[in-house]
Amino acid sequence: AQSVTQPDIHITVSEGASLELRCNYSYGATPYLFWYVQSPGQGLQLLLKYFSGDTLVQGIKGFEAEFKRSQSSFNLRKPSVHWSDAAEYFCAVDPPYGAGSYQLTFGKGTKLSVIP
Amino acid sequence: DADVTQTPRNRITKTGKRIMLECSQTKGHDRMYWYRQDPGLGLRLIYYSFDVKDINKGEISDGYSVSRQAQAKFSLSLESAIPNQTALYFCATSERGGVGNEQFFGPGTRLTVL
């Protein structure tokens, strides 16, 4: 069964510092990959997604993610964190068309705290 | 107006009560989903529906039932609520035939079972 691992439960960074949130998946073929953000008291908002092509994808709010097939990873990055980025971040995967059940499997999330 | 709405946003109930959570969407999507979120466990799929006549159990369907009243409406019921069903519940939608399975989420319903 496919799974998604977010190794870091909680990360604290200073405002202005760089950020990298890790995501690893276990699946034979390259799945579709997503990062969602959940701000306090809010639903989930899509930050970015990877389906194919360029392995570095740009998202909203200044985030980017890099897909590395050899490492089965899809890490989320931001060069300079803002206080408003404090939230919980979820990585999710979906198997490619024809190979799966059209469901998303979510990681357990990484909570980001930002120190002023 | 929000594309995916959930009612109620907050609910407190007692053990043994029947509860219905409702989800409506204006995105025109065929697929709808119900998830629950618990701290440290991420989102887990309860039920999903690919159209009005196609309803499927997810990872944790025990104790829950659903109804797809129309393309735009998907309700989740707890027939006899228990305290460990206290959680944040999300409805989501996705488009049939789209590349990948990008899902769009409602704002969530916080349910507390006493």
Side-chain angles (χ1 to χ4, degrees):
Chain A
Q2 63 174 335
S3 67
V4 184
T5 302
Q6 293 181 246
D8 304 305
I9 296 173
H10 190 185
I11 286 180
T12 300
V13 300
S14 298
E15 191 168 16
S18 64
L19 171 70
E20 182 170 32
L21 303 183
R22 296 181 290 166
C23 174
N24 294 94
Y25 63 90
S26 62
Y27 193 76
T30 299
Y32 300 122
L33 297 156
F34 305 85
W35 275 100
Y36 284 86
V37 60
Q38 183 183 22
S39 298
Q42 303 296 316
L44 277 73
Q45 181 183 21
L46 181 70
L47 282 175
L48 46 76
K49 58 192 175 188
Y50 174 77
F51 294 160
S52 65
D54 192 345
T55 56
L56 185 64
V57 293
Q58 302 298 319
I60 62 171
K61 305 186 180 187
F63 285 91
E64 65 179 25
E66 184 172 14
F67 167 63
K68 293 186 177 180
R69 186 190 308 275
S70 61
Q71 298 177 18
S72 297
S73 69
F74 188 55
N75 293 348
L76 182 71
R77 302 194 295 240
K78 188 169 185 178
S80 177
V81 170
H82 188 263
W83 64 268
S84 61
D85 293 324
E88 191 157 18
Y89 293 81
F90 293 93
C91 181
V93 303
D94 182 40
Y97 181 77
S101 58
Y102 310 104
Q103 301 176 37
L104 287 184
T105 299
F106 285 84
K108 294 184 177 181
T110 298
K111 185 175 182 180
L112 174 66
S113 297
V114 180
I115 300 173
Chain B
D1 289 338
D3 295 320
V4 184
T5 57
Q6 294 183 233
T7 56
R9 293 293 311 278
N10 289 281
R11 181 71 183 269
I12 300 173
T13 190
K14 295 182 179 180
T15 297
K17 295 292 187 180
R18 184 178 189 275
I19 294 296
M20 178 180 286
L21 309 182
E22 298 186 336
C23 176
S24 294
Q25 53 113 347
T26 58
K27 299 188 75 66
H29 289 171
D30 288 314
R31 299 175 182 172
M32 298 186 73
Y33 309 79
W34 275 106
Y35 294 89
R36 66 176 279 175
Q37 183 183 23
D38 299 277
L41 297 181
L43 278 76
R44 293 181 291 167
L45 184 63
I46 306 172
Y47 270 95
Y48 61 103
S49 171
F50 284 171
D51 64 40
V52 175
K53 296 181 179 180
D54 181 11
I55 293 178
N56 305 278
K57 292 182 177 180
E59 177 187 354
I60 53 163
S61 59
D62 287 349
Y64 301 95
S65 63
V66 291
S67 173
R68 186 81 183 266
Q69 301 95 322
Q71 187 206 37
K73 297 184 181 297
F74 192 36
S75 300
L76 176 72
S77 293
L78 288 67
E79 298 301 325
S80 179
I82 57 176
N84 77 0
Q85 291 177 314
T86 294
L88 185 56
Y89 290 84
F90 286 105
C91 175
T93 72
S94 69
E95 186 175 16
R96 183 205 303 266
V99 177
N101 189 25
E102 178 181 347
Q103 294 185 12
F104 298 83
F105 286 80
T109 294
R110 185 166 297 280
L111 176 66
T112 302
V113 183
L114 302 176

